[in-house]
Every structure is written in C-alpha cells, then in structure tokens.
Amino acid sequence: MERKKDTAIARFLKTVFFVEILQGMKLTLKTLFTKPVTRQYPKEKRPVMPGFRGLHALVRNPETKEAKCVGCGLCAAVCPSRCITIYTSEGEKHEKVVDRYEIEVLRCMYCALCVEACPFGAVVLTEHYEYAGYNKADFKMTKDKLLGNWDKYMTGDKGTEYFKRFWGPRADDFKTPENQAVFKGRTQSKVDLHNAE
Ligand code: SF4
Ligand code: SF4
C-alpha cells in the first residue's frame, strides 16, 4: 500500500516538473549539435569503392571498337539467375557472330560469376548503380546499351585497372608447371601413340 503511494507521488512530481519532456529536449539538443549520420542522397553521394559490382558492360575491343564477346555462352551457362541470353549466327567466314546479347538486370544478383567465367574479359560490372526506369524494358540491357555502359563508365585506364585488380584469375595468370605434359598437336600425338605400341 505504502509502495503504491510512493509510485503515485513520483508520477505526480514527474508530470508537474515536466521531467520526461525535459529528458526528450535534452536528447534533441544533444543531437542538434552532433554531426548527422544521414546522407542527403542524391545530393550527397557515397563514394563507390573500387571493385564495386554495379551495372554490367560489354568490353569494347580498343582496336576494332567492337565487342570483345565471341558468343561462347559461358557467362550465360554459369549465371545462377539465368538472366543472360545470347543469340548467335554464323558469319561469312564461318565465324560465330553475336547478334544479340541481353541481360535482364532486374533478375541479376551481382555475383560476378559471369565476369569470372568469361575467358576473353568481355563482360564486366561497372561502378554505376544509379539506374531507374518506368517499365521492365528499361532494365533489359541490350548489346548496344552494354557497350554504351563500357564507354560511359569504364573509359580510359579504368577498364584495364579493373581487370588487373579485381577480376581474376585471367588466362595470363595461369602458368604451365615445369615438366607438365602439354598437347603438341594432333599429328605428333598420333605418332607418339603409334611408337608406343
Ligand atoms: S552477376 Fe551473376 S547473376 Fe548477374 S548476370 Fe552475372 S552471373 Fe548472372
Ligand atoms: S561475355 Fe565472355 S563468356 Fe559471355 S559469351 Fe561473351 S565471350 Fe563468352
């Protein structure tokens, strides 16, 4: 009974002297003079760390100015989201021509397996992350759009540096160990087999 009385008095005094309001004001004043942690995006942008996995790009061959992609399909095969589609046809010299290369970026989870799988360093993830659209078609990256992304976001030495620092292993990284048997050509191999018998 005595305890209940004490609690009622404490509550009454708290109300009379605005204790809770003053506590709230104290916190407001304290926050007012501390550095805000909220960024005023999009005016204030967070710097992108090198190696960030953003929007895709198809690498443009600096000599031919065409896409480096040869349409081997490894990137599409390895993609866990199944969001890469490649349409190829046969060229005049029986070479494979990449007619269409499409990525549905809304399905992509930016794992970068496509980049790692590509034996030609032909696809990359850029540092660009600000893309929005009004319909689904805006998020279907066509070959032209992907080449445009390379021109926009990986200009100069940026693309080269990206591959050097982040996207390995590349073909250049592999060295044949000494004394390892290597394939020397079909004819040679046949002769060796015959002699062995
Ligand atoms: S980043 Fe991953 S999910 Fe996205 S296209 Fe490449 S392999 Fe597919
Ligand atoms: S981007 Fe690379 S892995 Fe994908 S089809 Fe082109 S060459 Fe092959």
Side-chain angles (χ1 to χ4, degrees):
M1 185 70 184
E2 194 63 29
R3 202 171 192 173
K4 261 190 182 173
K5 207 172 160 188
D6 283 356
T7 322
I9 292 170
R11 258 208 317 268
F12 173 74
L13 287 174
K14 263 189 181 179
T15 313
V16 167
F17 292 107
F18 306 112
V19 173
E20 279 161 0
I21 292 175
L22 288 172
Q23 276 174 342
M25 291 296 285
K26 187 182 156 197
L27 186 68
T28 309
L29 280 171
K30 200 175 142 198
T31 316
L32 206 65
F33 297 105
T34 51
K35 203 171 170 249
V37 288
T38 316
R39 274 173 211 270
Q40 299 301 315
Y41 180 84
K43 280 186 197 156
E44 199 185 325
K45 289 179 189 171
R46 182 189 283 271
V48 179
M49 294 306 285
F52 180 83
R53 298 173 186 177
L55 190 62
H56 309 70
L58 273 180
V59 181
R60 199 184 280 282
N61 186 327
E63 284 155 24
T64 63
K65 306 290 177 207
E66 296 292 333
K68 277 175 86 180
C69 174
V70 296
C72 68
L74 279 178
C75 53
V78 81
C79 175
S81 306
R82 297 277 180 267
C83 59
I84 303 178
T85 317
I86 305 162
Y87 299 86
T88 57
S89 59
E90 193 173 329
E92 282 174 10
K93 293 175 187 163
H94 306 295
E95 78 280 19
K96 198 180 242 185
V97 178
V98 182
D99 298 319
R100 283 163 65 189
Y101 185 105
E102 291 166 1
I103 302 181
E104 283 184 51
V105 288
L106 288 183
R107 283 168 58 191
C108 173
M109 58 179 181
Y110 300 92
C111 62
L113 284 178
C114 51
V115 182
E116 288 185 30
C118 179
F120 299 96
V123 64
V124 70
L125 295 176
T126 69
E127 291 172 9
H128 181 64
Y129 61 90
E130 293 173 298
Y131 40 95
Y134 290 103
N135 54 59
K136 210 175 159 197
D138 293 340
F139 297 98
K140 185 175 256 190
M141 289 288 127
T142 60
K143 192 177 166 189
D144 286 342
K145 281 188 196 173
L146 289 164
L147 281 169
N149 289 347
W150 174 262
D151 297 335
K152 265 190 261 174
Y153 309 120
M154 301 297 264
T155 45
D157 293 335
K158 195 163 191 147
T160 321
E161 196 208 336
Y162 221 66
F163 275 107
K164 256 193 201 154
R165 287 184 61 193
F166 304 107
W167 302 116
R170 299 169 308 144
D172 298 352
D173 296 335
F174 294 107
K175 303 263 182 301
T176 310
E178 267 180 47
N179 305 323
Q180 179 178 317
V182 287
F183 179 70
K184 294 214 176 82
R186 190 175 286 261
T187 317
Q188 184 67 42
S189 166
K190 262 188 184 167
V191 170
D192 285 346
L193 278 174
H194 183 71
N195 287 342
E197 281 167 10

